[in-house]
Amino acid sequence: MAGPVSHHNPDDDAPKAESEEASADQKAQMEQAYAQMRRKLRMTRLAEDIGHKIMVLSGKGGVGKSTVATGLALSLAKQGKKVGILDIDITGPNIPKML
């Protein structure tokens, strides 16, 4: 009966040639994907920590969404609630101006 057969190739342990390493573009893509994953994880954790979320929406501009959101946040804050406002207005955030 024959002894054990090894499929190990000693050359597999040799350092990789430069052509087999990740290119700069590949490294950049991996870093970007990793950063995106970390952002999503942070947002998920943040969303789990927030008990109540109120969205002020409208399909039309200039109708007072920022004014309503600011007034609502100030009113809740006066009642002792913890509040935060996330202004995602594409044309420019107005909340800092109002506060």
Side-chain angles (χ1 to χ4, degrees):
M1 182 166 195
V5 177
S6 174
H7 295 284
H8 176 73
N9 185 354
D11 294 334
D12 287 346
D13 295 335
K16 291 184 178 182
E18 288 184 29
S19 62
E20 293 180 8
E21 291 183 7
S23 69
D25 281 345
Q26 290 171 328
K27 286 181 182 180
Q29 287 175 350
M30 287 187 283
E31 288 173 4
Q32 188 177 24
Y34 180 69
Q36 183 178 10
M37 181 187 68
R38 287 180 49 98
R39 279 192 303 272
K40 285 182 179 180
L41 183 59
R42 282 195 308 267
M43 291 302 291
T44 301
R45 286 184 183 159
L46 180 63
E48 291 171 354
D49 292 342
I50 298 172
H52 301 282
K53 300 166 196 81
I54 301 171
M55 295 176 64
V56 180
L57 304 168
S58 173
K60 185 174 174 17
V63 295
K65 296 177 293 291
S66 295
T67 304
V68 169
T70 302
L72 184 59
L74 291 173
S75 176
L76 290 169
K78 284 183 182 178
Q79 296 175 20
K81 309 290 183 192
K82 290 183 182 179
V83 298
I85 299 176
L86 176 62
D87 188 357
I88 56 171
D89 190 343
I90 295 171
T91 59
N94 293 316
I95 301 295
K97 296 175 191 172
M98 295 183 168
L99 296 175

